[in-house]
Amino acid sequence: MKNILAILLIVFSLSASAQITWTPSMNISSNSFSNMHPRIALDRAGNPMMVWGRMSDESVFFSKWNGTMFTTPIKLNPTWMTIATASWQGPDIASHGDTVYVVVKRTPETSDTNRIFIFTSFNGGVLFNAPVELGFIADSISRFPTVTTDATGNPIVAYMKFNAMFMDSRWVVLKSTDFGSTFSSDVKASGWGNSTEVCDCCPGAIVSSGNTSAMLYRDNNNNIRDMWTGISNDNATTFPVGFEIGNNNWMLMSCPSSGPDGIIIGDTLYSTFMSGGSGAYRTYLSKSSISTGVVSSMTNLLGSAPGLSQQNFPRIAADGTAMAIVWKQVVSGEAQLPILFSNDISNGLPAIYDTVDIDDITNADVAMSNGKLFVVWQDDSSGTVKYRSGTYTQATTGMSENSEFSFSVYPNPVSSTLTLQSNFDLSNAAVKVTNLLGETVLLQNHLRTSSLDVMSLSNGVYFLQVKTDTIFFNQKFIKQ
């Protein structure tokens, strides 16, 4: 009966909105790898990559789509490290092209010597480097790592920090300028609105676009557990301002263990979160101006849908002007995984949702790229991470395909000849290659061709700088 109901719900939702053409759902792997708190990112080619946790041995696993199937999950944490993971919190993942970052919290969480670590891959998750510990946290306790990337592909990491007594909860941010090898000292990004502490069991989210970064978190101002953001306009170096993005005035003496997610489009911060301020758990979308700190709208994702009892764990993604939000909800006693989608968010979100799946849904994540949409979720009936993809028609913006500069290099890693691909003329571009120490190892004043001979370079990580009178671009590559 449930399978028939699922088909009817999906058929109805597709006929109602008719925006996404879905493929059938599938398991990423067997249930022996478990399914806690899956998170998704995309590689340079738009292939989905996932991380999730296994509580039985406190492990984190990684798998990606290789063009025909998902790879056998690999365990990222070494034998000496156990990882904090549960249905509501765990490892996080971010990508920039084929550079992939996974952040984790070592357990036990209450030990000040068990800190935040980052795993880095420069080839789309084929191989990961050994974990790097993020800075010295002194006698502080840390938890809830989250990661994004800046415009050059460097990681920006945020986590919650406490004193030795597990008090003074706050969100801090730190960043790397050498692609995850070292990190700056952390800076505080929370504490706005005369609040002294944040909600200490609620994960947060760090999002970035250009030089702007937003640290989204749930506050705890005398048990008012509304949503706030700290804002940086200098690439996460400082967070001098912040403002409230979800003023539901939710008074709660206990901890809801649920955090926000967000995206930045131009000057607009879209954030999604759960609140019980209305008397029931509901998910919301908030729209704010980053420059003014003013919330222009905050709406419940479904309003008063018949039979709706609760919602939680919303996640959001965007690609250009297209936007999608997924979350868990319970309608007439049955768990659902709905999705609201618009191929042009300037027209708003539709009133009718699609149903990705039903029954035994715990939480989910979503990613988008080039007319494709990907959803993963924790399915507690099968004990697996499930996956479903769809396609949609991209909105026509009227912009020329060449109105923005695009640049890429391949193959990466490279052994002999690096090919440069761009929609701009690079025939007279000046090219410089530097190593991790900043030393120039190759210099060419006029490129003339679309290829660069790097055979003489030693194996390692390098940075390619391409400069003309009108453009400047940095790209990391690996010589092997």
Side-chain angles (χ1 to χ4, degrees):
M1 180 65 184
K2 288 184 178 180
N3 289 336
I4 296 174
L5 178 59
I7 293 171
L8 290 175
L9 281 169
I10 292 169
V11 169
F12 171 75
S13 62
L14 284 175
S15 63
S17 61
Q19 292 197 77
I20 304 173
T21 302
W22 292 102
T23 63
S25 62
M26 61 185 295
N27 292 329
I28 289 178
S29 62
S30 69
N31 59 12
S32 63
F33 293 99
S34 191
N35 62 350
M36 293 289 106
H37 196 69
R39 289 292 177 258
I40 185 171
L42 305 177
D43 68 11
R44 183 179 299 278
N47 295 310
M49 305 176 289
M50 269 72 68
V51 293
W52 67 92
R54 184 170 65 189
M55 290 185 66
S56 61
D57 60 353
E58 297 180 296
S59 294
V60 55
F61 290 95
F62 173 89
S63 177
K64 69 172 294 183
W65 183 259
N66 64 10
T68 57
M69 60 185 296
F70 282 100
T71 58
T72 301
I74 59 172
K75 182 179 174 180
L76 295 186
N77 53 306
T79 55
W80 55 266
M81 180 193 296
T82 51
I83 299 302
T85 186
S87 62
W88 54 278
Q89 63 100 0
D92 196 18
I93 185 172
S95 63
H96 184 94
D98 285 331
T99 300
V100 187
Y101 302 106
V102 177
V103 289
V104 300
K105 165 62 182 178
R106 188 180 179 187
T107 58
E109 290 185 280
T110 54
S111 170
D112 60 10
T113 59
N114 290 341
R115 301 173 183 141
I116 308 298
F117 289 81
I118 188 168
F119 298 84
T120 302
S121 171
F122 293 123
N123 54 11
V126 176
L127 294 172
F128 279 87
N129 294 340
V132 172
E133 188 175 18
L134 272 64
F136 180 62
I137 311 177
D139 62 349
S140 298
I141 300 168
S142 60
R143 68 187 320 194
F144 300 146
T146 178
V147 62
T148 187
T149 64
D150 66 15
T152 65
N154 276 293
I156 301 172
V157 178
Y159 56 86
M160 193 181 292
K161 193 173 181 180
F162 307 82
N163 62 24
M165 301 302 294
F166 221 78
M167 303 292 287
D168 188 25
S169 56
R170 71 267 193 202
W171 281 96
V172 298
V173 178
L174 67 171
K175 65 175 188 174
S176 173
T177 57
D178 55 12
F179 300 94
S181 296
T182 61
F183 283 83
S184 64
S185 299
D186 61 67
V187 295
K188 187 177 179 181
S190 61
W192 309 107
N194 298 316
S195 177
T196 58
E197 289 193 324
V198 299
C199 185
D200 60 8
C201 68
C202 296
I206 181 76
V207 296
S208 182
S209 176
N211 286 324
T212 301
S213 300
M215 179 64 236
L216 310 174
Y217 64 95
R218 189 185 299 277
D219 202 19
N220 180 10
N221 192 349
N222 294 318
N223 293 312
I224 299 295
R225 300 181 187 267
D226 287 344
M227 293 298 179
W228 288 73
T229 182
I231 298 294
S232 170
N233 290 307
D234 56 9
N235 200 26
T237 302
T238 62
F239 285 78
V241 296
F243 57 90
E244 192 170 20
I245 54 177
N247 54 346
N248 302 78
N249 197 34
W250 188 17
M251 170 69 77
L252 186 68
M253 302 299 291
S254 59
C255 196
S257 300
S258 180
D261 194 20
I263 57 169
I264 297 173
I265 301 178
D267 183 56
T268 302
L269 172 64
Y270 292 93
S271 49
T272 186
F273 52 87
M274 179 276 293
S275 175
S278 67
Y281 280 13
R282 293 292 184 264
T283 50
Y284 294 83
L285 177 66
S286 169
K287 181 181 178 182
S288 311
S289 168
I290 294 172
S291 59
T292 65
V294 174
V295 177
S296 59
S297 65
M298 187 182 71
T299 56
N300 183 281
L301 291 182
L302 287 187
S304 56
L308 176 64
S309 59
Q310 60 176 278
Q311 299 172 313
N312 208 344
F313 304 126
R315 297 286 292 178
I316 189 171
D319 182 38
T321 61
M323 179 188 292
I325 306 175
V326 298
W327 67 96
K328 174 191 175 177
Q329 67 182 20
V330 178
V331 177
S332 300
E334 186 145 49
Q336 296 181 357
L337 175 53
I339 182 169
L340 279 176
F341 167 80
S342 172
N343 68 351
D344 188 352
I345 191 56
S346 64
N347 296 324
L349 288 170
I352 299 176
Y353 64 91
D354 282 1
T355 304
V356 183
D357 194 30
I358 66 169
D359 201 16
D360 295 303
I361 312 297
T362 299
N363 58 51
D365 200 11
V366 60
M368 307 169 61
S369 178
N370 296 322
K372 295 181 180 179
L373 189 146
F374 310 92
V375 181
V376 292
W377 64 96
Q378 177 182 329
D379 183 271
D380 289 328
S381 175
S382 63
T384 63
V385 176
K386 285 190 175 292
Y387 163 86
R388 198 175 187 194
S389 64
T391 59
Y392 60 89
T393 301
Q394 294 174 286
T396 302
T397 64
M399 294 176 58
S400 166
E401 290 183 1
N402 293 331
S403 60
E404 294 185 4
F405 175 59
S406 65
F407 180 85
S408 62
V409 298
Y410 64 90
N412 191 7
V414 60
S415 58
S416 58
T417 302
L418 194 66
T419 299
L420 286 64
Q421 187 174 47
S422 174
N423 60 349
F424 275 54
D425 181 13
L426 300 180
S427 59
N428 290 313
V431 175
K432 180 169 71 172
V433 176
T434 60
N435 60 20
L436 284 173
L437 299 177
E439 301 168 335
T440 299
V441 296
L442 194 154
L443 184 63
Q444 192 169 322
N445 289 328
H446 297 286
L447 183 60
R448 299 197 185 283
T449 68
S450 61
S451 60
L452 191 67
D453 186 359
V454 296
M455 183 176 290
S456 61
L457 299 181
S458 301
N459 291 350
V461 178
Y462 295 89
F463 305 97
L464 173 69
Q465 297 181 7
V466 179
K467 184 178 182 181
T468 71
D469 292 337
T470 58
I471 59 98
F472 177 81
F473 196 83
N474 276 305
Q475 175 69 50
K476 179 180 80 286
F477 70 92
I478 302 173
K479 169 64 169 54
Q480 65 177 16

